[in-house]
Amino acid sequence: MNQNNLFDPNMLMNPNLISRTVPYISNPNKLDLYGPYEGFMKGNLFKNLYNPYKNHQVTRIMPNSEREELLLNIDQLAFAAHDLNLYLDVNPNDGDAIKEFNQYRKMLTEATNTYEKQFGPINLMSDALSNTPWAWTDTPWIFDKEVL
């Protein structure tokens, strides 16, 4: 495990989740990025731009179920892809960042597909909503008493 990354794969419940193997993709000489979990927790993927507030200590998010773990995985990958997307808005010729963005985007798609196979559609753009009956109303929502 990267010493600069707060993500501890031994704390996860399901060893087959992508979040267990989300790599620290970046070339440290070029972009110097945190891994997706640490970037998500700190709110900034770029090490040189992270400025902690006073004595704030980043805490770990501990999922209580496989569903929460999958959602955390989606959140961290979406954050990494989005932060790189913002960087690419002002640095559109950075080939390393484009490559890294596409790797995170691909992992995000895989994580979303894994979640949707087990728990149903996660947003209105899901391919799971192209079937009849409409899956949006057929799956339990995260706040249903049965799920909690």
Side-chain angles (χ1 to χ4, degrees):
M1 182 173 80
N2 185 332
Q3 290 181 348
N4 296 324
N5 193 342
L6 294 175
F7 180 68
D8 184 356
N10 297 318
M11 299 177 99
L12 296 178
M13 292 170 259
N14 185 340
N16 298 318
L17 291 180
I18 296 169
S19 62
R20 188 169 241 270
T21 59
V22 171
Y24 180 77
I25 297 174
S26 72
N27 175 353
N29 298 327
K30 178 71 174 161
L31 294 174
D32 200 21
L33 303 179
Y34 291 116
Y37 179 81
E38 187 171 6
F40 175 64
M41 296 306 300
K42 290 183 173 184
N44 195 328
L45 203 58
F46 295 83
K47 288 182 181 182
N48 64 329
L49 297 177
Y50 176 67
N51 188 13
Y53 179 74
K54 296 187 178 182
N55 293 329
H56 173 72
Q57 297 294 315
V58 177
T59 59
R60 289 190 163 111
I61 295 176
M62 295 301 301
N64 294 316
S65 66
E66 185 176 7
R67 185 178 192 155
E68 288 179 7
E69 191 172 348
L70 288 167
L71 287 171
L72 175 60
N73 191 39
I74 290 168
D75 287 344
Q76 67 178 320
L77 292 169
F79 175 81
H82 182 75
D83 218 20
L84 282 166
N85 175 242
L86 294 173
Y87 171 82
L88 287 166
D89 284 346
V90 294
N91 299 282
N93 296 320
D94 188 332
D96 291 336
I98 292 170
K99 181 180 177 185
E100 189 160 345
F101 167 79
N102 283 316
Q103 288 175 321
Y104 283 132
R105 187 178 51 80
K106 181 180 176 187
M107 287 188 286
L108 175 59
T109 299
E110 291 171 9
T112 301
N113 289 341
T114 299
Y115 178 91
E116 289 182 341
K117 283 178 188 171
Q118 290 184 306
F119 300 106
I122 195 167
N123 63 46
L124 287 174
M125 296 300 136
S126 171
D127 288 337
L129 295 173
S130 60
N131 301 323
T132 305
W134 202 43
W136 192 257
T137 59
D138 285 349
T139 56
W141 289 24
I142 197 161
F143 297 112
D144 283 354
K145 290 179 184 176
E146 293 176 6
V147 175
L148 297 174

